[in-house]
Amino acid sequence: MRARRRILPVFVPHLGCPQCCVFCNQVKISGEEKPPRAEELERFFRERLAALPAEEPFEIAFYGGSFTAVSPEIQEAYLSAAAPFLGSRGSIRLSTRPDAIDDVTLDRLERCGVTTVELGAQSMDDRVLTLSRRGHCAEDTIRAAKLVKERGFRLILQMMTGLPGDTPETALQTGRKLAALKPDGVRIYPTVILRDTELEGMWRRGEYREHTPEEAARWCAQLLDLFEEAGIPVIRLGLNPTEELSGGEAVGGAYHPAMGELARSARYYDRACRLLETAAHGPDVVLGVAPGQTSAMTGQHRRNLRLLKEKFQLRSLSVRETELTTGKVILL
């Protein structure tokens, strides 16, 4: 696994996006009103790097738009602004659309120091993609992912759960199809209803049923298992909390400042259920988990313990940390 690098994020909201997906408002997500000018980036990089230890590795990350869908001139301008700061410890990553990748584009990215390409697949179900107005199909993701890997870039795939038309089954199928592409990592973003999006209108008109945090946690618990079994790290689960989102710009859906924690807690609940269904136990149960995993097993407001006690009619239930691998649950 590659050593962890400090991320220097550059948000380019909607830059290069040929259309607006029903769920998307990058200004609300990032808090940035407009993409920076290339000439502004030099000062940004200089100030951020001055605050880092001299030898700490870092990665300049262009997020928020479809980077490779903008004109080659703008791509060159942004990447050229970053290049002088890379030295021996810096690299560049960017996010883009699957239908905005080809050999000519990858030639440019390679020449300019890009090492990681993130593809916004979102779903591998064409009906879900159409209902979400993504403007590309699942086959575009397969083609682009294979090309990125063949050219030697690190590949990160992004998926969403709870989009219009999505179900637990289609979300799991998306996970399986993404895992088959053997990415270096995945990001999972449960759908959040943002203010001033088409999805908000669909929701308010009753055309879309929101994906709640509790539902998203259950779906994502299964996806975490799937990607772990495939040896693929989940590097992000849920939108990064911002003042805008927490302050009301997320009007519904699966927004939670600790979405990853909810999903991992749901995963522990599922594993504890399977254990208690198959193993002999009395009315007083002690569950063993790995060091540092008590909170995840217990659940927010002790929800997991309360539900397990009710489901299995236990007199007492407690959690104790022991020498285990993270994610495992045993009876003590």
Side-chain angles (χ1 to χ4, degrees):
M1 182 177 292
R2 192 174 65 156
R4 188 172 181 84
R5 292 169 172 255
R6 183 74 64 95
I7 298 294
L8 306 184
V10 179
F11 290 101
V12 288
H14 292 300
L15 189 69
C17 296
Q19 62 202 42
C20 190
C21 304
V22 298
F23 54 82
C24 193
N25 187 329
Q26 289 291 344
V27 173
K28 305 298 186 187
I29 292 173
S30 67
E32 302 289 337
E33 291 291 332
K34 58 183 180 180
R37 297 192 304 274
E39 54 268 26
E40 295 174 329
L41 292 179
E42 180 179 350
R43 182 179 64 183
F44 171 80
F45 294 140
R46 196 177 304 281
E47 290 175 352
R48 292 298 182 92
L49 290 174
L52 296 185
E55 300 303 319
E56 183 173 4
F58 66 89
E59 194 159 46
I60 292 170
F62 291 97
Y63 291 140
S66 297
F67 192 92
T68 61
V70 304
S71 70
E73 292 76 20
I74 293 177
Q75 293 180 51
E76 294 270 7
Y78 275 152
L79 296 173
S80 296
F85 297 93
L86 298 180
S88 61
R89 62 192 180 109
S91 59
I92 301 174
R93 76 164 57 206
L94 54 84
S95 59
T96 193
R97 297 169 55 86
D99 55 349
I101 289 292
D102 56 30
D103 275 313
V104 172
T105 297
L106 294 177
D107 285 342
R108 180 183 310 112
L109 302 188
E110 185 176 26
R111 185 173 66 251
C112 293
V114 175
T115 58
T116 302
V117 176
E118 300 202 16
L119 296 177
Q122 315 315 4
S123 176
M124 295 298 281
D125 184 285
D126 284 340
R127 179 173 177 271
V128 173
L129 292 171
T130 298
L131 291 172
S132 302
R133 304 201 200 289
R134 279 295 291 169
H136 67 79
C137 64
E139 187 59 37
D140 290 322
T141 297
I142 295 171
R143 178 197 57 80
K146 289 181 177 178
L147 192 56
V148 167
K149 285 185 68 71
E150 286 170 1
R151 294 292 301 270
F153 294 89
R154 294 183 72 248
L155 172 68
I156 305 297
L157 294 174
Q158 302 172 3
M159 70 170 287
M160 297 179 67
T161 61
L163 288 169
D166 202 16
T167 66
E169 292 75 24
T170 56
L172 272 177
Q173 188 63 17
T174 286
R176 293 187 189 102
K177 290 182 177 181
L178 295 186
L181 296 172
K182 302 187 185 308
D184 297 284
V186 296
R187 298 181 191 268
I188 306 173
Y189 294 114
T191 299
V192 176
I193 303 171
L194 300 174
R195 192 180 304 281
D196 300 328
T197 59
E198 187 174 347
L199 191 64
E200 181 192 8
M202 293 167 64
W203 173 55
R204 295 195 185 282
R205 293 189 301 269
E207 299 168 5
Y208 169 74
R209 184 184 66 81
E210 72 174 316
H211 191 43
T212 65
E214 295 76 18
E215 179 182 72
R218 293 195 300 272
W219 293 23
C220 290
Q222 293 182 290
L223 288 166
L224 286 171
D225 281 344
L226 187 156
F227 288 120
E228 180 181 273
E229 290 170 7
I232 299 167
V234 176
I235 62 175
R236 179 77 206 176
L237 204 166
L239 289 177
N240 190 44
T242 66
E243 290 183 6
E244 288 79 12
L245 292 173
S246 297
E249 297 300 341
V251 297
Y255 177 68
H256 192 286
M259 190 68 237
E261 181 181 337
L262 287 185
R264 291 177 176 87
S265 180
R267 187 188 193 199
Y268 270 105
Y269 174 80
D270 289 344
R271 291 184 174 185
C273 279
R274 291 196 293 269
L275 175 66
L276 293 172
E277 285 167 351
T278 56
H281 60 82
D284 301 297
V285 168
V286 179
L287 297 175
V289 297
Q293 299 300 301
T294 297
S295 177
M297 180 66 257
T298 301
Q300 288 199 329
H301 310 298
R302 300 180 66 81
R303 181 176 184 273
N304 284 356
L305 298 192
R306 185 177 69 254
L307 293 177
L308 289 167
K309 283 183 69 177
E310 293 173 0
K311 181 179 178 69
F312 294 98
Q313 300 181 334
L314 302 176
R315 184 168 57 199
S316 68
L317 176 61
S318 59
V319 180
R320 186 182 306 162
E321 295 183 2
T322 187
E323 294 302 317
L324 284 176
T325 304
T326 297
K328 289 188 177 299
V329 184
I330 62 171
L331 286 172
L332 295 177

